Every structure is written in C-alpha cells, then in structure tokens.
Amino acid sequence: MMPFLLPLLLAAAPLAEPPVAAPAPTETEAPVDWDKEFGVVRKARDPATGEIPVDPYVQGDANAGAHPFAGDGMARAFGGQAGIRRITDRTLDLSVADPRIKAIFEEHDMVRLRRTLFEQVCFILNAGCRYSGRDMKVAHKGLGTTRADLNALVEHLQQAMREAHVSFPAQNRLLAKLAPMDRTVTER
Amino acid sequence: MPLISGALALAAPCAAREAITFDGAKLILTNGITSVEGSGGGGLATWATISGMGTNRAIGVSAHVTGVELPDFRLDTHGVAIGIRDRVELSYARQNFNTRQIGAALGLGKGFQFNQDIYAAKVRLVGDLVYGPGWLPQISVGVEHKRNLDGAVVRAVGARASAGTDFTVSATKLFLGASVLANATVRLTKANQFGLLGFGGDRKAARSVQFEGSLGYLVTPRLVIGGEWRTRPDNLGIAREDDAKDLFAAWAVSRHVTVTAAYVDVGSVATVANQRGGLLSLQLAY
C-alpha cells in the first residue's frame, strides 16, 4: 500500500496543512457489506413493469382507503386521467426534491409508487381507475413517517393541483377524502 | 463505572436527536390567529387550535399585536404563546384599554387606561383541525386567568373582583369538503368587558355560561374570511354589556406571518353605546 500512498502525500506537499492520510486498510479489514449486516435482501425489478415485487396481498378498491366521488364532476375538475397523472407525478417529483422528506423515498420503489398513487387518486376522483395497490397501513409500514412529513406531502399535492389549475374548492374536496387517512399513513 | 459513563456518552447523541425542537411544519394558516385574550383562535373567540407552527413532535411559538379602534375607545393587546407537541398551549397577553374622552366623562381622567394581564393554558383533548374523521373536531379545554391592574377603579364601577378565571371548551374543525372552518366554544366567565371592567357585579356575581361561534370560508390556502359571535355576561348595573360580533379576513402573508383585519361590533361599552370599529392584528408564528 505505501508505494501508492507516497506519491499522493508528495502531491499534497505544497499545501500549508497537508490532509491527514487515513490509515490504510489492513488485509483483515474487508469492506463492510452493510446490506448483509442488516439482512437487506434486494429483489430484482420485474423486467416487464420495472417494479420491485411486493409480498402477496389481497387486491381491491377498498385498499384505496376512501369511497370514490359520485358523478364525473371531480374527474373533470382534475383534467381526467391525464391531468391526474400529471398532478400525482408532480407531487412525487416535488417530494423527492424536498430536503424535509426526500429520505423517505430514497429506498422506495418509485416506479410502483407513481403507478399506485395515480390509481388511488384516479379511483377516488371516479376517473375510471381501479386501485391495485396495498392498503394505506401496509403500504406505509416501517416508514416511520410523521405528521410533519404528511403536511409536507400535502403541500406538494396542493402545489401540483394549483399548477394544474384545479379550483381551490375541488382541491379541498379531494383533501377531505385523504385527510381521514392520517392515522394509517403516519407512525409517529 | 468508566464503562457506564462511556455508554452514556455514546447514548447522548441519540437522546439529543429525540429532543423536542421547532419543526415549523403545521399547514399554513392551520395555527389560527390570536384572540384578544392571547389564546390561539379567531379574533374574538378562543379556538381549539394550539398556537405556533409546531406539530405533534415539536414545539412552536407565536407572538401577536392587535389594535381595536372604536369610536370612543381603543384596545391594544400584545402577547406571546407557546405550543408544545400540538397538545398544550401556554399564553400570556397584556390588554391596554384607553377610555379617551369617556375617561373624563366618567371621572377617571381623560385617556384613562384599564390594563389587564391574561395568563392562559389550553390542552387539546381529542381530534384534529384538519385530519382524522370528518365528524370529529379538534376539542380543547382551556383556562384563562385574568388580573385587572386597576382593582380600585373596577371595584368603584361595581365589579366584585379585580381578578377572575374563565374556563373554556372549544371544538374547531376545518370541513375541507366545503372549505369551511367552524368553531364553537362554551365559556364559563364572570368577566365584564373581557375583565377590563373587573369580574362580577351587582346584577350577577357568579360565572355564567357564554357561547362563542366562528364560521370561516377558505378562499385560497392563505386567505380565510368569516364572522364571529360572542355572547357576554351583563353583570354591571351601571354599564350594559352586549354580545360582540366581527367580520374578519385573515391572510397568511407567509408561513410565519398572518395579518387579520376585522370589522368589530362590541355594542355598549362603559355606558357608551354603538361601539363599532376596526380590528387589525399581526401574528408571527414559528
């Protein structure tokens, strides 16, 4: 190892305070495989859907956690399925860029989340979708999310709806469907 | 022992991470504004909301100044509040009530000021303003201890005491489906004109049950307009007291700044009828 380190130290010599060289790893110190240490098993993405498989569960619209609106008024207010997809995608784009909550999404299957979040909102707005995701409790299990995280997500959803020119009363009608789920989507 | 202290030293950073801090994470405007009594609420009514922008794992603080300009009087209040885990609210407010020309007419001297300190605590029992079942409002109980600083004067006008304690139960809910905010508060009080004219009187010495209702409409995420109605006791024989009403617009300039303007009608005050005027309030919240 030393022959490799020596040129580095020489190169650093002109600096007033040469950086302290880290102790060279010894032969007995192999790099730690943290996934193995914590028993993390990485599943391969499904080549067709691009999603990471989840444990089997019973599918059903009831998993969406809210009854859908009647009529097509809300679906139209959100610009149909195309408008809803833009809004849910934008909500997630804002969330993964938000320093307050981005860490929650870092180890998350965003391909699946984009699909299921769209389905859920589309189903609730009665815009012609079935919800195929898991129920809210199971889907958020172990995320350790807080009320503060939830509020941040709501702010992003509000911004996405505002940018899509959804009227404020219609925005609130959707939020009224989502608000009662707080206990199932937060854990702390 | 060295082992144990070493373990404690290791544990310390974890404990620090769990320490309660500011998160400023309430949804904008859901911290409410500050009532003329310093408690989180509307302008006239105490609400079930907990002051400050902190959520259930944090603390929040707020400060306010409010001026009420009436034809013959002026009320200035300022105060601070702390919200702990969106559960407990502790607040202090100072009220200064200037009698202007009426002070001279009443023999108190022109510009005589009644002053009052209000120490209040409020605890959220159940429910949430925004989240949870749509039928379950946020419900809080509160206590407001008021100390009038002009004891001799308020006793001279007929009040039985210069200090008094109000008890409140409030239910507040944001009905998102209708973009409507509603509040109902029941108050046990013997305060005359919020306590500025003392507590109890010749007509009634004991506490009575009073009602405060607020109804607001969310125009935008940052603007709510509405009205409030507050019934009040009528304890003093020489100075009739009426219900107080207002029409308000509260605007969240930012997450931390809320400005409220209101048209206020407090009826008859200290023998002078028709006291209708304007309220302007500024709240800072973190």
Side-chain angles (χ1 to χ4, degrees), chain A residues 100 146-152 154-155 158 162 168-173 175-183 188, chain B residues 18 23-28 55-57 86 128 130-134 176-179 217-221 255:
Chain A
R100 295 176 296 175
T146 64
R147 169 64 59 82
D149 300 329
L150 178 57
N151 284 349
V154 168
E155 287 172 6
Q158 286 182 308
R162 190 165 59 243
F168 187 58
Q171 291 181 26
N172 287 338
R173 289 186 72 196
L175 293 179
K177 291 277 191 186
L178 305 178
M181 300 180 195
D182 70 312
R183 287 287 176 87
R188 295 186 290 165
Chain B
E18 286 301 311
D23 70 352
K26 274 204 184 97
L27 290 168
I28 197 164
T55 62
N56 60 324
R57 291 162 53 79
D86 199 24
D128 188 273
V130 179
Y131 295 108
L176 277 165
S179 300
Y217 180 76
L218 269 80
V219 183
T220 77
R255 297 184 62 77

Side-chain angles (χ1 to χ4, degrees), chain B residues 19-36:
Chain B
I20 189 163
T21 52
F22 291 89
D23 70 352
K26 274 204 184 97
L27 290 168
I28 197 164
L29 214 51
T30 62
N31 56 323
I33 61 164
T34 308
S35 78
V36 288

Side-chain angles (χ1 to χ4, degrees), chain B residues 42-72:
Chain B
L44 288 173
T46 286
W47 291 354
T49 49
I50 301 295
S51 286
M53 294 304 283
T55 62
N56 60 324
R57 291 162 53 79
I59 57 170
V61 291
S62 74
H64 86 282
V65 287
T66 298
V68 185
E69 184 76 16
L70 299 170
D72 297 294

Side-chain angles (χ1 to χ4, degrees), chain B residues 140-200:
Chain B
S140 298
V141 292
V143 51
E144 293 174 4
H145 181 65
K146 305 175 175 183
R147 303 191 70 82
N148 193 302
L149 305 178
D150 303 281
V153 180
V154 297
R155 280 199 194 84
V157 299
R160 292 291 188 91
S162 60
T165 305
D166 290 0
F167 300 95
T168 60
V169 182
S170 304
T172 314
K173 189 72 181 177
L174 181 54
F175 295 100
L176 277 165
S179 300
V180 164
L181 179 111
N183 172 74
T185 296
V186 173
R187 179 187 296 266
L188 266 174
T189 182
K190 55 184 175 183
N192 311 322
Q193 295 291 352
F194 306 113
L196 291 163
L197 298 183
F199 301 84

